[in-house]
Amino acid sequence: MRPTLPAAAALALTALSAAADPARPVTYHTLEVEGVPVFYREDGPADAPVLLLLHGFPSSSHMFRDLIPELADSFHIIAPDYPGFGQSGAPVRADFETLAQTMTALTEELGLTSYTLYMQDYGGPVGMRMAVQHPDRINGLIFQNATIHVEGWSPDVVAQFAPFWAERTPETEAPLRQILTAETTRWQYEHGSTRTERLSPDAWLSDQAGLDRPSNDAIQLDYLWSYQDNVASYPAWQDYLAAERPRTLIVWGKNDPFFTMNAVTGLQNLLPNAETRLYEAGHFALETHTPEIAASIREVMAR
């Protein structure tokens, strides 16, 4: 039996979420995975193709609250919170290899043998590790503002990370600590958005509540330190895509301050048959373009 959140927490999450079909609402669960409580949202028929939604930083499965009901009639949807994010517990180790192992273990605990991966931001390195390690489980890939090319990074962001990765000291860590502040969290949602009236403050307030938990700053800095391992893995992930050519959809906010359109070009060069949909949006394009992105997923992944 899958354990669930306490009633009060489940009710609070329900208030922040939409359900297209009141007869089959989103459900909320917490499962112990390798010693860590992992929270996830679930919706859709149990016998439908599985869509695994992998969120970015500093968000959680909350970022998919509008997308899930849009697709729940066609997919069995699982949207987990990573350890250290959202409603999940603290990780044993805050690095991307462990994170990918935990997400793979979650799918195995749930009996999922094949799935399409939706990858945004951190979801890119998590999902690509899962795909490379178990290519037989991958039905398709959806990239949303997640790069696997060095050229896809904004030079301004690289300038912040490079000294930190070269030598981790309080001085080089300081710019990264700014990423954890409420001001920066809100900026990530607002920058590049052309539909500001659709931006819900619930998004950045929810994210910041997670970031501000005791000791969570250390966890997040460890993840940011570990991100350099993802960059080192880019060539292997590119080789996988070029060799396997999985069915791929690219949905992208064109005004992303972190990952540029060069990231899209890199994916298109590796996957000439990939479908690409571009939106006048920022890093969190789902906040303003959920209906369009959901329609693209239906069009490409339901074939």
Side-chain angles (χ1 to χ4, degrees):
M1 178 182 297
R2 301 171 192 166
T4 59
L5 283 180
L11 286 172
L13 286 164
T14 302
L16 291 172
S17 303
D21 182 0
R24 191 190 60 236
V26 180
T27 58
Y28 308 95
H29 312 271
T30 300
L31 187 64
E32 192 86 3
V33 181
E34 298 184 336
V36 179
V38 175
F39 170 85
Y40 63 95
R41 302 169 191 242
E42 184 172 20
D43 201 356
D47 59 350
V50 176
L51 180 60
L52 184 64
L53 305 179
L54 300 174
H55 68 80
F57 169 90
S59 193
S60 66
S61 62
H62 181 255
M63 71 170 285
F64 299 114
R65 65 197 181 279
D66 296 327
L67 183 67
I68 292 172
E70 291 270 0
L71 297 174
D73 61 342
S74 301
F75 296 93
H76 178 195
I77 301 173
I78 301 293
D81 290 354
Y82 306 145
F85 292 81
Q87 304 295 320
S88 289
V92 176
R93 291 185 301 278
D95 63 74
F96 279 85
E97 186 63 34
T98 302
L99 180 50
Q101 291 173 0
T102 301
M103 292 298 101
T104 297
L106 173 67
T107 65
E108 292 170 349
E109 289 280 349
L110 296 176
L112 309 180
T113 57
S114 62
Y115 34 78
T116 294
L117 297 176
Y118 185 113
M119 305 175 290
Q120 194 267 346
D121 190 65
Y122 273 21
V126 174
M128 288 306 300
R129 280 184 166 82
M130 296 174 71
V132 169
Q133 292 167 7
H134 298 284
D136 56 305
R137 302 180 185 179
I138 303 304
N139 284 336
L141 301 176
I142 303 169
F143 286 90
Q144 191 240 301
N145 297 82
T147 190
I148 61 165
H149 291 82
V150 173
E151 299 81 5
W153 283 73
S154 162
D156 292 339
V157 176
V158 172
Q160 288 183 306
F161 276 82
F164 177 61
W165 289 343
E167 183 181 7
R168 187 173 181 178
T169 67
E171 290 73 27
T172 61
E173 199 176 80
L176 282 302
R177 284 190 173 275
Q178 289 301 308
I179 296 176
L180 309 181
T181 64
E183 180 181 13
T184 302
T185 299
R186 179 170 180 171
W187 173 83
Q188 289 191 56
Y189 282 90
E190 293 183 330
H191 184 90
S193 176
T194 58
R195 295 175 172 177
T196 55
E197 74 281 0
R198 296 191 182 185
L199 290 175
S200 170
D202 292 345
W204 56 80
L205 292 175
S206 173
D207 290 358
Q208 197 61 41
L211 290 175
D212 289 343
R213 287 177 296 185
S215 303
N216 195 261
D217 59 335
I219 291 171
Q220 298 305 326
L221 287 167
D222 282 348
Y223 276 128
L224 293 171
W225 168 256
S226 171
Y227 206 104
Q228 61 188 300
D229 298 333
N230 300 330
V231 177
S233 298
Y234 285 174
W237 299 344
Q238 294 163 15
D239 289 345
Y240 159 81
L241 291 179
E244 296 290 333
R245 298 284 178 91
R247 179 174 50 169
T248 301
L249 169 65
I250 304 167
V251 290
W252 204 272
K254 295 193 295 183
N255 307 321
D256 191 329
F258 301 101
F259 303 135
T260 71
M261 288 298 296
N262 288 333
V264 174
T265 301
L267 288 170
Q268 291 171 326
N269 290 339
L270 287 171
L271 300 161
N273 293 326
E275 300 274 357
T276 302
R277 305 287 187 271
L278 304 177
Y279 308 100
E280 290 294 340
H283 189 62
F284 287 103
L286 273 177
E287 293 297 317
T288 54
H289 288 75
T290 288
E292 293 90 338
I293 292 174
S296 296
I297 294 172
R298 287 181 180 278
E299 176 190 350
V300 175
M301 293 300 170
R303 291 174 186 168

